[in-house]
């Protein structure tokens, strides 16, 4: 069962709730796949730029709805805090991938191929473009993507 983050609508009536995407205005939807360190940094950075962020996690119960990232100097003083909300949090690709405009893999390199194979069937083919990438782009990632494109006719 996916977890949908909610906020009060502009009316201030707590009975009227919306997903984070509805509350903030619809920007590009980014789906982060994985629980890696990069995910913990990307969510707050993307949240500050009006992206809707969905998260596919193997351990959704370990996540908070709002993720904070403090930028500190060498004296451990906080210079800036970035905050991002997770719109949909799920352990099921079918819940988070179909709305994605951008998909980031945040996991160990040896899991890329497996993850690509599992998410590919849920990529929305009615979108003109869906970008798939990773923060750590090595190990022939582009070859893996092309293999999945051919297999799933993307």
């Amino acid at each position: 069962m996916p977890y949908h983050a909610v906020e009060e609508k502009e009316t201030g009536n707590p009975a009227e709730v919306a997903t984070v995407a509805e509350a903030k205005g619809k920007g590009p939807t980014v789906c982060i796949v994985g629980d890696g360190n990069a995910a913990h940094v990307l969510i707050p950075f993307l949240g500050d730029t009006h992206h809707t962020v969905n998260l596919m996690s193997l351990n959704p119960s370990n996540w908070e709805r709002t993720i904070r990232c403090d930028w500190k100097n060498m004296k451990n003083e906080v210079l800036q805090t970035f905050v991002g909300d997770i719109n949909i949090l799920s352990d099921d690709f079918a819940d988070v991938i179909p709305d994605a405009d951008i998909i980031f893999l945040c996991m160990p390199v040896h899991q890329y191929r497996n993850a690509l194979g599992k998410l590919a069937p849920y990529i929305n083919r009615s979108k003109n473009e869906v970008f798939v990438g990773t923060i750590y782009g090595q190990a022939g990632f582009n070859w893996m993507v092309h293999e999945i494109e051919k297999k799933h006719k993307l």
Side-chain angles (χ1 to χ4, degrees), residues 81-133:
T81 299
F82 299 89
V83 179
D85 293 316
I86 299 172
N87 183 54
I88 301 173
L89 171 58
S90 180
D91 59 1
D92 186 347
F93 288 99
D95 294 331
V96 295
I97 296 296
D99 291 336
D101 299 303
I102 303 165
I103 301 168
F104 279 114
L105 303 185
C106 295
M107 62 188 59
V109 172
H110 71 275
Q111 290 295 323
Y112 289 170
R113 186 181 216 170
N114 183 41
L116 286 168
K118 288 181 179 179
L119 69 84
Y122 302 105
I123 292 176
N124 188 337
R125 286 165 174 77
S126 68
K127 291 183 179 251
N128 288 336
E129 295 180 318
V130 175
F131 298 93
V132 180

Side-chain angles (χ1 to χ4, degrees), residues 41-86:
V41 174
L42 271 176
I43 293 167
F45 285 175
L46 291 168
D48 270 6
T49 58
H50 305 290
H51 288 77
T52 300
V53 179
N54 295 339
L55 176 64
M56 194 340 256
S57 169
L58 295 176
N59 304 295
S61 63
N62 290 345
W63 284 85
E64 298 290 329
R65 180 187 141 212
T66 299
I67 309 300
R68 297 171 47 94
C69 178
D70 291 333
W71 176 30
K72 297 180 179 181
N73 64 16
M74 297 300 286
K75 296 177 184 175
N76 208 29
E77 300 166 330
V78 175
L79 302 175
Q80 187 171 356
T81 299
F82 299 89
V83 179
D85 293 316
I86 299 172

Side-chain angles (χ1 to χ4, degrees), residues 135-147:
I135 300 303
Y136 190 66
Q138 74 162 38
F141 181 72
N142 56 326
W143 296 331
M144 291 181 229
V145 170
H146 292 307
E147 175 187 349

